[in-house]
Each structure stands twice: as C-alpha cells, then as structure tokens.
Amino acid sequence: MSSNTHSRPEKLDKIVQKFKRRDNPKQKYEQLLWYAQKLEPMPETEKTPENKVSGCVSQVYITSTLDEGKIFYQGDSDAQLVKGLVAFLIAGLNGLTPQEIITLTPDFIEETGLQVSLTPSRANGFINIFKKMQQQAIFLSH
C-alpha cells in the first residue's frame, strides 16, 4: 500500500483504483455514467435548499442519515456526469463512520485523474460535493 492510501477506506480505494486503470478520458466518462445509472433515486421531497450543494453549476443534492454509528448518503444531480460523481462518492463513503469521513482528505479525487477529463467547474463541483458530505458528517457526529 502506498502512503496516501493507508487512511483511505477500502471501498473508496477500490473505486479510485478503477478510475486510475482507465487511461483515456472517454473511459473515465463511461465509468462515471455507469455509476450515475446505479444511483438510487432520491425522493423529490429531499431536494431542498438545505440539501443543495453550493458552488455547483448543475443542481446537486445530498442527504445523510446516521444508522448505528455509520453514515449513509443519498444524492442526485440533474447532470448525468455530475450524478456519476455523486454516485462515486456515495459508493465510496456509505457505511463509514462520521470520523472516517471527516478525516478523509480530498486528494483521492486527484488520484482518479478525473480533473483532466472534467471541466474546471465540474472538478470544483466534485470537491464541493465531497465537502458537503463532510459537513453533514460533522453535523451528524454531534
């Protein structure tokens, strides 16, 4: 294991490795769209201003619940690629403790190589979605 994966949860690391193996941007996009299709539908009632991710060009919503000390997220976006980013983060972070999510650094985002494929606003949105998830983890940990 390399030094930057030692504190990364296994599920998240597997997803990061999957993206790292895709050499060209088209394959990374296809992978994101696959994740978008796998995302559970989010109830319209959850799409509220409190759950909206700020700093995203598209509409992005994230909710979280704490169940037996572990966080479970739900999310959605009106843009398919961004929905894929949401699904990627949900797949990687669901079932972790608030502490694990709070202490996670966003360097894994860079490791996927997705920034190269994403527009600057989408890459920035990816980090904003992650930060929103961390904020919810902090809130649920109190």
Side-chain angles (χ1 to χ4, degrees):
M1 278 210 169
S2 62
S3 61
N4 60 352
T5 59
H6 71 281
S7 62
R8 188 182 307 146
E10 191 182 339
K11 274 195 310 187
L12 183 61
D13 195 52
K14 279 186 175 154
I15 298 169
V16 169
Q17 297 310 321
K18 218 182 262 182
F19 276 95
K20 279 172 79 171
R21 284 194 296 272
R22 307 272 185 266
D23 291 334
N24 78 36
K26 188 174 184 287
Q27 289 176 321
K28 291 182 194 289
Y29 275 151
E30 286 166 0
Q31 187 75 40
L32 276 179
L33 293 172
W34 180 84
Y35 274 104
Q37 290 170 344
K38 299 279 174 231
L39 193 62
E40 293 284 319
M42 184 183 202
E44 289 298 317
T45 53
E46 297 290 338
K47 295 179 183 179
T48 63
E50 306 83 63
N51 296 331
K52 193 172 192 293
V53 177
S54 57
C56 284
V57 177
S58 43
Q59 304 288 311
V60 184
Y61 298 93
I62 300 286
T63 61
S64 56
T65 52
L66 193 61
D67 187 23
E68 295 182 13
K70 297 194 184 308
I71 293 188
F72 293 91
Y73 292 100
Q74 243 191 329
D76 198 11
S77 173
D78 59 353
Q80 281 302 301
L81 274 178
V82 178
K83 193 177 198 167
L85 296 173
V86 169
F88 166 167
L89 287 170
I90 289 174
L93 302 180
N94 262 1
L96 298 178
T97 66
Q99 204 48 46
E100 286 173 306
I101 294 166
I102 294 164
T103 57
L104 199 58
T105 56
D107 57 0
F108 68 88
I109 293 172
E110 203 167 303
E111 251 188 87
T112 61
L114 281 165
Q115 289 87 323
V116 182
S117 317
L118 298 172
T119 60
S121 65
R122 281 210 178 108
N124 195 29
F126 197 15
I127 290 173
N128 289 338
I129 295 163
F130 175 67
K131 284 181 179 163
K132 175 78 170 178
M133 294 169 98
Q134 280 190 316
Q135 286 166 354
Q136 290 182 351
I138 291 165
F139 178 77
L140 289 173
S141 70
H142 295 304

